[in-house]
Amino acid sequence: MKSSNITLVLRVWQGDITTLPVDAIVNAANPSLLGGGGVDGAIHRSAGPELKTYCAGLGGCETGQAKLSPGFALPSQYVVHTVGPVWHGGGQQEALALAACYRNSLLLADAEGVVSLAFPAISCGVYGYPAREAAQVAVNSLCQAFEDCHLSKQIWLVGYDQHQCTLWQEALAARP
Ligand code: ADP
């Protein structure tokens, strides 16, 4: 049973997630885990080539699941790689898959002893998930999953631009 004196702090931060000196950053990866565009590309560039070599040994990742790697040259100790759903209009259980990304990433990080953790807006770039809805799914999922964590958490919800930060703030204001 979870100790009652562990706490969850959720904050919004605007900028490049690869610069954050947190215990772990989350990568919106693709199923190969071998790198791609967007935040995935930025993380691989900043971590250096050892990240791709390491990820090649992870055997890929299914949508909604999460896998861990070292951060290599990043200021963060770990990267949690998760694969968000591609948006197909909402009728293909995209919300469940997106919620699973946040939950599985948080629980994997918790099991590794992570306290400070930063998330990008998973699936809200090339995967096309509507960002307002995604922010609500994310905040709800993180609050629920925290109930199963063993350590306190400081979570940074990262927006690359001001609009995404506003959406994070709105979702936090509406948190259950
Ligand atoms: P996906 O394929 O899951 O949609 P993307 O990388 O295309 O992933 O986009 C996810 C989100 O990450 C978008 O909101 C995008 O603006 C944002 N993003 C892109 N680069 C960075 C970065 N360096 N730091 C933080 N967020 C980023």
Side-chain angles (χ1 to χ4, degrees):
M1 168 131 176
K2 186 174 150 237
S3 158
S4 58
N5 60 5
I6 75 164
T7 55
L8 170 64
V9 177
L10 286 159
R11 292 201 187 94
V12 178
W13 185 80
Q14 184 179 352
D16 180 354
I17 198 169
T18 66
T19 66
L20 280 174
V22 287
D23 297 336
I25 61 172
V26 177
N27 182 16
N30 61 47
S32 75
L33 298 185
L34 297 179
V39 71
D40 194 10
I43 288 172
H44 275 267
R45 277 192 300 279
S46 299
E50 292 143 299
L51 179 59
K52 186 170 174 180
T53 304
Y54 186 93
C55 286
L58 292 177
C61 185
E62 290 179 22
T63 301
Q65 299 302 306
K67 293 204 174 170
L68 192 77
S69 79
F72 296 104
L74 286 162
S76 56
Q77 190 182 358
Y78 298 108
V79 179
V80 177
H81 305 265
T82 189
V83 179
V86 176
W87 180 255
H88 290 291
Q92 295 191 25
Q93 301 200 312
E94 292 95 328
L96 279 178
L98 187 64
C101 287
Y102 284 92
R103 175 180 178 79
N104 289 326
S105 296
L106 182 64
L107 295 182
L108 180 59
D110 187 61
E112 211 57 39
V114 163
V115 171
S116 57
L117 178 66
F119 283 89
I122 298 162
S123 285
C124 295
V126 294
Y127 280 9
Y129 204 116
R132 186 178 304 275
E133 286 87 334
Q136 288 163 358
V137 169
V139 169
N140 288 343
S141 180
L142 289 171
C143 290
Q144 277 178 22
F146 176 69
E147 295 300 315
D148 297 320
C149 284
H150 297 93
L151 298 169
S152 290
K153 289 286 169 288
Q154 295 162 17
I155 297 179
W156 299 94
L157 302 171
V158 177
Y160 209 29
D161 55 32
Q162 180 56 47
H163 179 62
Q164 179 61 48
C165 289
T166 302
L167 296 177
W168 282 132
Q169 297 287 10
E170 287 174 4
L172 284 180
R175 78 191 256 199

